[in-house]
Amino acid sequence: MAWSVPHDFVPAEMVSHTIMNGVRDQLKETAPHKASAAGFPYASGANALAFAAFASNANKTLRANSSHNAVEAAGFPFRQAPITAELPLGNISWPAASAADILSASITTTGGKIVVMAYCWVTEVLTNLGGGPLIEHYITLRRDTTDLKTRTVEEHLDTQYTWTSSVGYCWVDSQSAGTYTYKVRGYYVNHNTDLTAQPNGPQAVAYIHLWEI
Amino acid sequence: MSWAESHDFVTGEFMLSALLQTYIHNNIIETAPAKAVAAGDIFYADAPHHLQRLPMETADALKSLALGPDGVTPMWKGSAFKQQPVFNTGTGNTGTSVADMVSQAITVAAGSDVLIIASGQQKEAKSSGTGNAVHHRFSLYRDSTLLYEDDMQQRALNGASIPCTSLWFGVWLDVNPGAGTYAYKVRGYYTAAATTGTPTYAAEIAAFEV
């Protein structure tokens, strides 16, 4: 049914069924009459409405289609504000021999993809440097109890007394609905018994950013 | 013209023109279809019982809605990813000529940008030789086009099983490559002034269409 210009009622006018059917037809063009399922009303042209459908839990935004004659639900906005955890610069107890958590952050997803951005920088001044020391440095990205990726840094220190590693991760995780904890874990292995770490512990920085898309 | 609260008609009432004009004509012209001017208009309330039209943004522009600077009028704002990110990982051994460490294909629409976030590691244990300069190269490609390359120079000492490690992290916004399917790749190789052990590598790449 096409829209017609609303009738102007005037005094002493006989209101005919034609006029009232015009009113009926206009009511049929309104949003409540045209709504048939969950959706968003938009103009499909002058004086005409249509509905953009939304799938359940689809987390969409709107756009004009490529012909610019309809509105459609589209895109993948962030499903929630990013979650951030940060370990600011300072001395920490860097684990020896076996991994332990350095920093963690949790996110509850409804089934979107989780983008994990993580970074860890650690530097350590070593003393009692002997001949041919070899150290290993492990920095792991973990989801709950599952290791996603480990960077292993092996260095020969020679005459250097400072051991520094920095690791950046970008990981896209596809998980079902639930709450997940992402962790930066680390430890070091020292193959030279003459080598001892600085008394106050290494300096470290770490962060984790979680996005749900 | 403004919306009038609906009239309750009663038995024996005359349908006066003023009544019909107020409650039928004037209310109809306050509805969304009466106010629709062009395809893509959406509607919002700016006062009780009063709608306004908001014209759609340009074609294919993914926008959300926000209140404008006056705190009352909605406007199209922001952006959104056009698809969920795609991601891949790779592991293996680096050679002395450039080769893929990891590749991820993505099909994008015209006008899209592609955000690439990638990371990698090359690690080797030098087995012999007298030189001490090792180059671990990491490069980001779109198909056969080099977008950029990092040369990580390391000092590998003489002697057996003396390791050296390079860690790499790269971010690149590929602005409007055009509609099509592209393979974004982390590629790499190593060079050394002396014989070294073959590096192992691990690399990851994520691609976002924006």
Side-chain angles (χ1 to χ4, degrees):
Chain A
M1 204 68 68
W3 181 267
S4 57
V5 176
H7 179 78
D8 272 315
F9 297 93
V10 296
E13 179 183 15
M14 179 69 73
V15 178
S16 67
H17 76 282
T18 303
I19 291 172
M20 294 312 291
N21 281 341
V23 171
R24 177 203 61 195
D25 293 344
Q26 282 148 357
L27 288 173
K28 287 184 175 181
E29 294 297 321
T30 61
H33 178 77
K34 291 216 161 183
S36 58
F40 194 94
Y42 68 91
S44 55
N47 304 124
L49 297 186
F51 275 76
F54 280 77
S56 175
N57 194 31
N59 196 47
K60 297 291 185 182
T61 187
L62 297 173
R63 72 175 171 195
N65 68 357
S66 55
S67 302
H68 209 264
N69 59 9
V71 176
E72 56 193 18
F76 292 84
F78 291 115
R79 293 184 177 225
Q80 57 184 292
I83 293 169
T84 294
E86 181 180 7
L87 176 71
L89 177 63
N91 293 325
I92 66 166
S93 178
W94 192 253
S98 62
D101 294 349
I102 306 300
L103 182 67
S104 67
S106 297
I107 188 170
T108 300
T109 174
T110 55
K113 288 198 173 183
I114 302 168
V115 180
V116 184
M117 300 286 294
Y119 175 79
C120 182
W121 170 91
V122 59
T123 189
E124 189 168 2
V125 178
L126 302 158
T127 58
N128 294 330
L129 196 63
L134 171 65
I135 56 175
E136 299 173 19
H137 192 178
Y138 296 83
I139 298 176
T140 296
L141 181 65
R142 171 179 277 203
R143 181 206 322 115
D144 296 334
T145 58
T146 301
D147 288 343
L148 301 175
K149 182 61 74 173
T150 296
R151 296 276 189 251
T152 306
V153 183
E154 292 184 75
E155 295 292 346
H156 179 276
L157 289 179
D158 192 20
T159 58
Q160 297 180 62
Y161 288 78
T162 302
W163 164 34
T164 301
S165 295
S166 62
V167 170
Y169 286 111
C170 177
W171 197 270
V172 180
D173 223 9
S174 297
Q175 296 295 313
S176 56
T179 299
Y180 302 93
T181 300
Y182 292 87
K183 308 166 185 177
V184 171
R185 292 163 62 84
Y187 70 103
Y188 73 94
V189 174
N190 176 11
H191 292 282
N192 189 303
T193 55
D194 294 333
L195 211 57
T196 56
Q198 66 189 98
N200 294 329
Q203 294 271 299
V205 169
Y207 66 69
I208 299 173
H209 298 308
L210 304 174
W211 312 341
E212 186 188 15
I213 301 175
Chain B
M1 213 65 70
S2 61
W3 180 268
E5 282 301 326
S6 299
H7 176 76
D8 283 322
F9 296 97
V10 297
T11 304
E13 181 180 10
F14 285 106
M15 299 291 111
L16 299 176
S17 63
L19 194 70
L20 298 175
Q21 187 71 5
T22 299
Y23 294 106
I24 295 181
H25 174 272
N26 292 353
N27 282 354
I28 284 176
I29 63 175
E30 291 298 320
T31 62
K35 296 198 172 189
V37 173
D41 290 351
I42 62 171
F43 306 92
Y44 64 93
D46 62 348
H49 310 299
H50 192 258
L51 298 182
Q52 290 278 12
R53 61 177 282 265
L54 179 65
M56 178 45 76
E57 276 279 323
T58 54
D60 280 337
L62 282 168
K63 298 287 184 180
S64 296
L65 291 169
L67 281 183
D70 62 2
V72 176
T73 308
M75 59 184 291
W76 293 107
K77 195 173 182 181
S79 184
F81 297 105
K82 294 184 176 178
Q83 58 181 290
Q84 287 192 304
V86 287
F87 177 70
N88 201 7
T89 66
T91 56
N93 292 100
T94 312
T96 53
S97 58
V98 65
D100 294 353
M101 294 180 176
V102 63
S103 176
Q104 176 61 60
I106 185 170
T107 300
V108 301
S112 291
D113 301 331
V114 182
L115 173 64
I116 301 295
I117 304 178
S119 58
Q121 166 180 301
Q122 292 187 62
K123 186 182 75 174
E124 62 189 288
K126 189 175 181 183
S127 58
S128 63
T130 57
N132 60 10
V134 173
H135 296 252
H136 293 151
R137 286 185 170 84
F138 295 87
S139 48
L140 183 63
Y141 277 76
R142 181 205 322 116
D143 295 329
S144 58
T145 300
L146 174 65
L147 301 175
Y148 82 102
E149 181 177 74
D150 287 328
D151 181 3
M152 318 288 278
Q153 297 189 41
Q154 297 284 351
R155 185 183 186 205
L157 296 177
N158 301 330
S161 298
I162 302 299
C164 69
T165 307
S166 296
L167 300 174
W168 174 81
F169 191 83
V171 179
W172 188 266
L173 182 65
D174 198 16
V175 177
N176 195 13
T181 299
Y182 302 101
Y184 289 89
K185 309 166 185 176
V186 176
R187 312 192 79 201
Y189 63 102
Y190 78 100
T191 58
T195 305
T196 67
T198 300
T200 61
Y201 71 77
E204 302 89 43
I205 186 168
F208 304 74
E209 183 187 11
V210 185

